[in-house]
């Protein structure tokens, strides 16, 4: 009898833990929480935690509480795989990551191979920000879904606007030396050549990712080149420090960017006094005339001291809930099948859809500039007094580029 009681005492806590686990949908957030990417990684984590709270306030996912579990990958592909395995060992079956396409490529490959070896224990990888086009082209995976527009889609939109800016004559390209940075420079050169053959590329620079602390030598090259415009995919500290060096050197050019709105970016733009000279392409801004997204923005800013930089993360989490509801399950295979082809009212307004062929999400794309605000722009950024102003909108249908994906689907 004593042995039976001891066995029961051991079994009950274990049963309780399993029951709690079944009542929780855990999502592993694998992004930098230390090192050069930590500032933007921390904002991403808090954003996802805020979104989990939003879902939980509405009953969670199929009545289960949503929890974000943080794993620090230090923006390193190898470390990311270690953290992914730790998450899986804890029973987590949904991974999300965004900062660094080199990390994204490693994770997509890891998840695909893991699922091949472990049928019935599949894992999904939700990509909210890594935009190397190859991830939904030649290296696509059934287990990978991307909610951000890939870099070719963004460059298509950006260069369509740039071709109308007749003041642009000399362009300097500066990008981070990894897969995403390479895709930005390649697309910029080919698209500008096709749309504005009169534009000269007067510089094409690559630099180490998140390792440069002083961009003064790079700014000196830009000044010497005679460039009137810079195109960059830099993100995180690599954008903020680049603009800081530009301010210190008094460089006055136009900037066409992907991620000027990231941590420290708006502050650097204001310090450089580049009033509506810095342009950004993305899936939304705070100052769009859309009441639901503006209400969300107010709530987020009331809790945290930052603005929403990831509208795509909102779409991702809300679509997860919709897919689980459609599938009546949180099983990864069933959720994946429910997501394929899903049409969705996106965060900033309008229709979006998850293409079945390659798992690339399509949505309206916006081009905006940062500077002085009017009554139409109620939100500023980083307490600078400056805010994003809408310059152009590209409807969903005009963002759809073809894919080379030949997806292997589970049997």
């Amino acid at each position: 009898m004593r042995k039976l009681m001891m066995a029961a005492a051991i079994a009950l806590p274990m049963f309780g833990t399993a029951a709690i686990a079944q009542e929780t949908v855990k999502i592993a957030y694998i992004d930098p929480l230390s090192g050069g990417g930590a500032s933007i990684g921390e904002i991403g984590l808090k954003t996802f935690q805020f979104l989990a709270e939003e879902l939980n306030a509405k009953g969670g996912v199929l009545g289960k509480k949503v929890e974000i579990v943080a794993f620090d990958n230090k923006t390193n592909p190898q470390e990311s795989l270690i953290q992914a395995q730790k998450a899986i060992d804890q029973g987590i079956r949904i991974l999300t990551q965004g900062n660094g396409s080199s990390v994204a490529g490693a994770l997509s490959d890891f998840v695909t191979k893991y699922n091949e070896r472990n049928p019935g224990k599949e894992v999904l990888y939700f990509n909210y920000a890594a935009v190397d086009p190859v991830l939904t082209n030649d290296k696509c995976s059934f287990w990978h879904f991307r909610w951000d527009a890939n870099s070719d889609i963004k460059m298509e939109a950006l260069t369509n606007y740039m071709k109308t800016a007749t003041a642009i004559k000399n362009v300097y390209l500066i990008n981070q030396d990894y897969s995403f940075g390479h895709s930005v420079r390649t697309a910029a050169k080919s698209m500008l050549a096709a749309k504005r053959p009169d534009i000269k590329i007067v510089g094409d620079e690559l630099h180490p990712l998140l390792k440069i602390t002083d961009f003064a030598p790079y700014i000196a090259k830009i000044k010497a080149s005679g460039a009137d415009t810079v195109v960059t995919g830099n993100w995180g500290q690599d954008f903020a420090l680049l603009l800081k060096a530009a301010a210190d050197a008094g460089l006055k050019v136009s900037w066409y960017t992907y991620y000027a709105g990231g941590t420290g970016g708006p502050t650097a733009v204001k310090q450089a006094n580049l009033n509506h000279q810095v342009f950004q392409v993305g899936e939304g801004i705070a100052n769009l005339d859309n009441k639901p997204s503006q209400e969300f923005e107010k709530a987020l800013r009331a809790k945290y001291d930052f603005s929403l930089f990831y509208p795509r993360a909102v779409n991702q989490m809300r679509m997860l809930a919709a897919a689980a509801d459609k599938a009546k399950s949180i099983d990864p295979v069933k959720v994946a099948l429910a997501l394929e082809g899903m049409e969705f009212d996106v965060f900033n307004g309008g229709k979006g859809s998850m293409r079945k062929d390659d798992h690339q999400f399509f949505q309206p794309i916006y081009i905006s500039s940062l500077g002085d605000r009017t009554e139409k722009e109620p939100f500023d950024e980083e307490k600078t007094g400056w805010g994003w102003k809408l310059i152009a909108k590209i409807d969903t249908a005009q963002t759809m580029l073809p894919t080379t994906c030949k997806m292997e689907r589970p049997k």
Side-chain angles (χ1 to χ4, degrees), residues 79-155:
E79 184 64 27
S80 299
L81 303 189
I82 294 171
Q83 299 305 319
Q85 187 62 60
K86 286 182 179 179
I88 292 170
D89 289 345
Q90 292 180 28
I92 300 174
R93 301 178 75 181
I94 300 175
L95 316 178
T96 193
Q97 175 271 343
N99 295 295
S101 288
S102 56
V103 171
L107 278 176
S108 182
D109 186 57
F110 169 84
V111 167
T112 300
K113 291 178 179 177
Y114 175 87
N115 289 346
E116 289 173 356
R117 295 192 303 266
N118 297 275
K121 299 179 181 180
E122 290 84 1
V123 175
L124 289 177
Y125 165 35
F126 288 172
N127 172 2
Y128 71 92
V131 296
D132 187 344
V134 75
L135 293 167
T136 45
N137 282 287
D138 293 351
K139 292 187 178 180
C140 65
S141 168
F142 175 81
W143 309 104
H144 165 266
F145 289 81
R146 172 160 52 198
W147 271 268
D148 199 359
N150 74 41
S151 63
D152 284 355
I153 295 170
K154 291 185 178 184
M155 188 57 72

